[in-house]
């Protein structure tokens, strides 16, 4: 184990923390210096992938703190917890590397974190607002709680006694389906992110001639009433979902000028990263805080917006500085090779919208490759990926930790990919927040086992292999091959159909051991 022994003056093995390797900083240029040195007013920072936006924000934060600025007066906002955690760690490492003490000699301790998600900051604002009014703080509704409320209300719709009844006849058969409830929840979240309440959603449905939106607006009113009643029980305040949380914080600041002035007086430097992934409510909240700050940096790339399905609106960043007078464009790609840079530039050129952020220069020289492969099935694609990773590790000596597989959706792509990587003996690590609970490695095998115990006929070859190779089955690739060969030999010895493959035999065996097997 690296970093275990070799410590002078200590008997026996000792655990030693290895230094964290930071990515090399981009070479500074005039644009980068303008971002780090910005201290007054609004500044929009545009740049494509690899141009160093996040690194410059880290430098800007560290520069302010090194100059003696109180950490309580610096706030960096991001859209996701993972991005916030990563940036927070980078700020801490840079401060540690610089050994930058505070000018007043006090230690680096703060009540409020320098780097926060927009939702975290919104929740803090609502807690302050509730404390000023002497009320209980709000409570955040989880996605599962929202699903329960929506399904209960839809059940009432079917019984004819629920609030907001009147769904179009063509969708009434779908009201009892879980998928309809999930889609309805997404619609309500997207409406809340754009500041649409029940009345506005219903009016939009009438204006556009979409009867489902009009019915959803009426349903939204009953949903709001139920969630407010649930939140009022006990010692907690109103129960809010993620979209309502940000909207409520923006409303609280707008309705209480003293609270807004106090927050603007406390936070003097506001920096926002990945601003292309903010929805209108999040953008409005950041803007209301940043407009009263000494400096306000809004960084992002409209072409990198991938969260439109969650309400992100990249046009807010694109239109934030219409005349371009307070905009710095980062044009040098420090990360990608020449071939990758050229390929991404061609893709970006076909995206809607435009602007100076697309004027990027790639690295000098050549290097890197970009290839496109088309496969007939997800299993064939996963097998090819696993083979390429294994070849790179064995033939070229590439460490497993230096490899990554990017997928559009872990829910759809992970099952065949996991099986292919397991068969090729390629280790797999998936970030926990990328997986819904039902897809977590500790939960998925149990869910599959229960599903196929109830419906053995739904079991197929892929599911059989997944169950056998899961922690419940405990079979590694070698054990699976032995099992397949053994089943083929037994089938041949028993005079069975010699044309049947090992996949069919695996499925038959698991169906026989399932309760009610053979049905």
């Amino acid at each position: 184990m690296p970093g275990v022994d070799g410590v002078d003056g200590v008997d026996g093995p000792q655990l030693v923390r290895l230094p964290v390797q930071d990515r090399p900083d981009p070479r500074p240029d005039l644009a980068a210096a303008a971002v780090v040195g910005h201290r007054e007013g609004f500044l929009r920072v545009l740049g494509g992938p690899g141009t160093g936006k996040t690194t410059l924000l880290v430098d800007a934060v560290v520069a302010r703190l090194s100059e003696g600025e109180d950490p309580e007066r610096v706030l960096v906002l991001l859209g996701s917890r993972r991005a916030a955690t990563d940036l927070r760690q980078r700020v801490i490492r840079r401060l540690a590397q610089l050994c930058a003490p505070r000018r007043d000699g006090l230690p680096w301790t703060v009540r409020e974190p320098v780097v926060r998600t927009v939702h975290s900051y919104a929740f803090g604002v609502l807690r302050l607002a509730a404390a000023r009014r002497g009320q209980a703080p709000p409570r955040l509704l989880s996605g599962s709680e929202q699903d329960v409320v929506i399904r209960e209300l839809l059940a009432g719709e079917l019984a004819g006694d629920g609030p907001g009844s009147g769904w179009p006849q063509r969708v009434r058969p779908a009201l009892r389906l879980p998928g309809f409830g999930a889609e309805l929840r997404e619609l309500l979240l997207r409406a809340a992110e754009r500041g649409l309440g029940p009345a506005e959603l219903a009016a939009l449905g009438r204006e556009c001639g979409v009867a489902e939106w009009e019915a959803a607006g009426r349903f939204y009113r009953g949903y709001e009433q139920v969630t407010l009643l649930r939140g009022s029980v006990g010692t907690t305040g109103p129960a809010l979902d993620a979209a309502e949380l940000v909207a409520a914080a923006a409303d609280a600041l707008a309705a209480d000028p003293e609270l807004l002035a106090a927050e603007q007086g406390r936070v003097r430097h506001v920096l926002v990263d990945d601003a292309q992934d903010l929805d209108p409510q999040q953008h409005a909240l950041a803007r209301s805080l940043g407009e009263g700050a000494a400096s306000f940096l809004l960084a992002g790339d409209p072409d990198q917006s991938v969260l439109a399905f969650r309400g992100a609106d990249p046009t807010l960043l694109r239109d934030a500085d219409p005349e371009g007078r307070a905009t710095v464009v980062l044009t040098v790609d420090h990360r990608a090779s020449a071939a990758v840079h050229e390929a991404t530039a061609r893709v970006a050129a076909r995206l809607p919208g435009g602007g100076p952020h697309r004027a990027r220069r790639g690295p000098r020289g050549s290097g890197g490759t970009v290839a496109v492969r088309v496969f007939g099935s997800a299993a064939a694609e996963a097998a090819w990926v696993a083979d390429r990773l294994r070849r790179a590790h064995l033939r070229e000596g590439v460490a497993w930790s230096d490899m990554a597989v990017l997928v559009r959706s872990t829910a759809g792509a992970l099952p065949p990919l996991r099986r292919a990587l397991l068969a090729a003996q390629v280790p797999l690590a998936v970030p926990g927040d990328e997986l819904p609970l039902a897809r977590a490695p500790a939960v998925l095998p149990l869910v599959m086992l229960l599903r196929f115990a109830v419906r053995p006929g739904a079991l197929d070859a892929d599911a059989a292999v997944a169950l056998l190779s899961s922690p419940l089955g405990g079979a590694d690739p070698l054990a699976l091959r032995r099992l397949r060969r053994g089943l083929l030999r037994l089938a041949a010895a028993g005079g069975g159909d010699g044309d049947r493959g090992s996949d069919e035999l695996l499925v038959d065996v698991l169906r026989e051991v399932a309760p009610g097997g053979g049905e």
Side-chain angles (χ1 to χ4, degrees):
M1 178 183 298
V4 180
D5 51 17
V7 181
D8 295 335
V10 179
D11 296 330
Q14 299 289 325
L15 289 175
V16 178
R17 184 182 297 275
L18 295 177
V20 178
Q21 299 296 326
D22 254 337
R23 287 169 285 189
D25 292 339
R27 183 178 301 175
D29 54 20
L30 292 178
V35 175
V36 177
H38 182 73
R39 293 294 185 275
E40 295 183 3
F42 170 74
L43 181 66
R44 181 179 62 167
V45 183
L46 299 178
T51 53
K53 299 183 298 298
T54 301
T55 298
L56 290 178
L57 289 188
V58 171
D59 290 343
V61 172
V62 172
R64 285 165 171 76
L65 298 182
S66 300
E67 292 167 1
E69 186 63 82
D70 189 341
E72 299 279 352
R73 301 169 72 83
V74 180
L75 176 64
V76 184
L77 294 175
L78 293 100
S80 69
R81 282 182 294 179
R82 183 190 301 177
T85 300
D86 177 70
L87 197 145
R88 186 183 303 117
Q89 292 174 347
R90 292 177 65 178
V91 170
I92 293 172
R93 290 200 297 267
R94 288 297 304 279
L95 287 173
Q97 290 170 357
L98 295 175
C99 298
R102 290 179 56 166
R103 287 189 174 181
D104 53 14
L106 296 176
W108 291 103
T109 57
V110 293
R111 294 186 303 274
E112 298 288 341
V114 173
V115 183
R116 307 182 70 170
T117 65
V118 179
H119 291 95
S120 171
Y121 176 72
F123 189 75
V125 168
L126 291 178
R127 289 180 64 89
L128 288 174
R132 288 171 59 86
R133 297 191 297 265
Q135 299 174 351
R139 182 175 67 88
L140 182 62
L141 271 177
S142 66
S144 58
E145 287 180 288
Q146 291 175 262
D147 286 336
V148 169
V149 173
I150 288 175
R151 290 180 185 179
E152 289 177 350
L153 289 176
L154 288 175
E157 300 281 335
L158 287 172
D161 57 357
S165 58
W167 288 94
Q169 186 62 37
R170 60 179 176 272
V171 301
R172 288 188 68 84
L175 297 184
R176 61 173 55 88
L177 300 178
F180 183 86
E183 290 296 328
L184 180 57
R185 178 166 71 92
E186 291 296 322
L187 175 62
L188 300 186
L189 287 175
R190 301 294 83 79
E193 288 164 352
R194 280 160 174 75
L196 299 178
E200 292 81 5
L201 181 57
L204 183 63
R206 288 191 296 270
E207 179 183 346
C208 299
V210 182
E212 290 82 2
W213 291 359
E214 186 176 357
R218 293 191 294 266
F219 179 90
Y220 196 177
R221 187 176 297 108
Y223 171 79
E224 277 192 337
Q225 294 170 355
V226 171
T227 53
L228 286 174
L229 287 174
R230 291 196 174 198
S232 64
V233 177
T235 59
T236 62
L240 305 173
D241 58 37
E244 292 172 330
L245 185 70
V246 178
D251 291 343
L253 291 177
D256 191 342
E258 292 184 1
L259 176 61
L260 176 60
E263 279 299 285
Q264 290 178 338
R266 180 183 69 84
V267 182
R268 302 306 300 147
H269 303 281
V270 180
L271 303 91
V272 181
D273 198 12
D274 292 332
Q276 74 278 354
D277 290 331
L278 299 183
D279 62 49
Q281 293 292 334
Q282 294 171 346
H283 184 85
L285 178 61
R287 194 86 188 184
S288 64
L289 184 64
E291 286 177 347
S295 67
F296 179 30
L297 270 70
L298 198 66
D301 176 19
D303 289 341
Q304 293 186 63
S305 180
V306 295
L307 297 180
F309 67 97
R310 291 184 180 176
D313 188 355
T315 60
L316 298 171
L317 174 63
R318 190 180 296 123
D319 301 337
D321 183 25
E323 298 182 359
R325 297 180 179 178
T327 296
V328 170
V329 181
L330 306 175
T331 59
V332 181
D333 189 342
H334 302 275
R335 182 191 306 163
S337 64
V340 175
H341 171 80
E342 293 173 3
T344 56
R346 289 195 299 269
V347 173
R350 300 181 180 182
L351 297 176
H357 58 283
R358 291 183 180 169
R360 290 189 294 141
R361 301 192 306 272
R364 295 180 179 178
S366 60
T369 58
V370 176
V372 177
R373 297 285 189 273
V374 179
F375 301 93
S377 66
E381 179 186 29
W384 183 86
V385 170
D387 178 70
R388 295 291 295 180
L389 295 179
R390 184 168 176 80
R391 287 174 183 269
H393 180 69
L394 296 179
R395 294 184 176 181
E396 303 172 22
V398 181
W400 296 122
S401 58
D402 292 336
M403 303 180 187
V405 181
L406 303 182
V407 298
R408 182 175 183 179
S409 168
T410 53
L414 187 58
L417 189 60
R418 184 190 297 276
R419 292 192 291 272
L421 295 177
L422 179 65
Q425 299 182 352
V426 176
L428 173 65
V430 182
D433 54 357
E434 283 284 354
L435 294 174
L437 180 61
R439 291 283 181 178
V443 178
L444 179 59
L446 182 59
V447 173
M448 292 177 63
L449 187 65
L450 294 175
R451 180 186 302 127
F452 297 125
V454 175
R455 296 193 300 272
L459 183 68
D460 58 14
D462 287 342
V465 173
L467 280 174
L468 290 171
S469 57
S470 71
L472 294 178
D476 56 21
L478 180 59
L480 278 175
R481 286 196 292 270
R482 289 176 177 173
L483 179 58
R484 288 177 183 274
R485 289 197 297 267
L487 290 175
L488 290 172
R489 286 197 297 267
L490 287 174
D497 187 356
D499 294 334
R500 302 188 69 198
S502 59
D503 284 345
E504 297 178 73
L505 296 174
L506 281 176
V507 171
D508 288 344
V509 169
L510 290 183
R511 285 177 178 173
E512 289 177 3
V513 300
E519 295 182 0

